[in-house]
Amino acid sequence: MSLNEKIDVLKANTAKQAPAEALEVMHMAIETLKNSGIMEGILKTGDKIPQFELKSAEGVMVNSADILKNGPMILTFYRGAWWPYCNLELEALQQAVDEITALGATLVAVSPQIGKFNRAFIKKHQLNFDILSDPGNTLSNKFGLTWDFPDDLRQVYTSFGIDLERFNSDGNWRLPMPARYVVGQDSVIRSTDVNPDHTIRLEPDETVEFLRNMMKG
C-alpha cells in the first residue's frame, strides 16, 4: 500500500472510533489553521534555510552544513511518535531511504520530542535515518511552521491520552505543520511540501523522483 492508501485507512478507522464531537474539533482546528495566514510566512522554494545544529537521537550534535557538504538534504518535520499520521510517513520514507542515499542525498527528520522517544521509534521501526530533536521548536519556528494548539483541541488530545508535555522538552503545546523540503548543497530550498492538514502527505516516491531529476541538472 502507498502512504496515502494507509492514511485513508487510518482516517476511516478514526472516523469510526473517535467521538463525533472530537472529530469536529479536529476538523475545525485544521480549517482554522488553513485560514490563519500561516502559509504566507513559511520558507518556500527559492529561500535559503538557516544553518542549524541539533542533537541526534543518540545525543550527537548534527550540523546542517556538514550534511550539505556531502550532497542535498531531504528535511522532514515530524510531530512525534504519538501521532500515527507522522509515523506512517516516516515508515514510508524508510522504504525510500536507500534510493535517496543512492542519489547522494541525506534524509533527516526533525521533531520537538525529546531524544529518548526518537531513539525508541528508530529502534522499533529500524530506521536508517536520524530524527533530530528541536527543543522548543526553535528550527521549525525559523521555517515558519509552528502553531499553537487551541484549548479545545488540547482537551481532545488529552482525552486520547496524548500528553505533549511528556513528549516535548519545553512543556508547551506547540507543533510544526507536516513539512518536507528538498534542500540543495547551497542551502537553497528546491522543493517544498507543507500542508496545514496533517492528513495530507506527499508520497516519498514523488520526492525521490524530484531529487533524481534535480541531480540530473
Side-chain angles (χ1 to χ4, degrees):
M1 294 175 68
S2 70
L3 170 58
N4 281 285
E5 286 172 337
K6 292 179 180 178
I7 286 176
D8 286 342
V9 171
L10 176 57
K11 287 173 69 174
N13 289 337
T14 302
K16 291 177 183 177
Q17 298 170 9
E21 296 83 359
L23 293 173
E24 180 61 20
V25 169
M26 294 168 72
H27 173 73
M28 289 304 300
I30 290 172
E31 292 304 309
T32 299
L33 189 58
K34 284 180 181 179
N35 296 324
S36 68
I38 190 172
M39 293 296 291
E40 296 172 10
I42 67 167
L43 293 188
K44 301 177 180 69
T45 300
D47 292 333
K48 199 166 187 176
I49 69 165
Q51 184 174 334
F52 63 84
E53 188 173 55
L54 300 173
K55 280 187 179 181
S56 72
E58 298 301 327
V60 177
M61 297 304 296
V62 175
N63 192 293
S64 59
D66 292 334
I67 294 174
L68 292 172
K69 284 178 184 176
N70 299 316
M73 175 171 55
I74 310 299
L75 182 63
T76 186
F77 286 84
Y78 166 68
R79 282 183 164 190
W82 51 271
W83 193 239
Y85 292 94
C86 284
N87 293 341
L88 288 176
E89 181 174 9
L90 290 200
E91 290 166 8
L93 285 168
Q94 170 59 31
Q95 295 176 9
V97 71
D98 287 346
E99 289 182 274
I100 290 170
T101 303
L103 289 167
T106 301
L107 171 62
V108 178
V110 171
S111 173
Q113 74 179 0
I114 59 179
K116 69 177 183 178
F117 296 111
N118 292 335
R119 284 195 302 274
F121 189 85
I122 288 170
K123 182 178 180 180
K124 179 179 179 181
H125 297 275
Q126 299 183 318
L127 300 186
N128 294 328
F129 61 92
D130 215 337
I131 305 174
L132 308 181
S133 292
D134 182 23
N137 291 287
T138 301
L139 182 60
S140 64
N141 284 339
K142 292 178 180 178
F143 275 75
L145 300 171
T146 315
W147 58 283
D148 292 294
F149 265 59
D151 289 340
D152 54 354
L153 185 62
R154 177 173 175 171
Q155 291 171 8
V156 167
Y157 275 46
T158 301
S159 73
F160 290 162
I162 296 170
D163 181 6
L164 288 191
E165 294 179 9
R166 173 172 170 259
F167 283 92
N168 296 350
S169 60
D170 59 358
N172 68 35
W173 284 69
R174 304 193 81 216
L175 288 174
M177 291 186 292
R180 193 186 310 160
Y181 291 94
V182 178
V183 183
Q185 286 190 269
D186 55 2
S187 297
V188 174
I189 297 169
R190 305 299 176 82
S191 174
T192 305
D193 180 67
V194 183
N195 201 307
D197 186 341
H198 61 264
T199 70
I200 298 175
R201 310 284 173 129
L202 186 70
E203 291 288 347
D205 287 350
E206 295 181 60
T207 298
V208 170
E209 185 62 22
F210 180 89
L211 180 64
R212 182 178 291 112
N213 290 332
M214 186 183 90
M215 298 303 285
K216 288 178 181 177

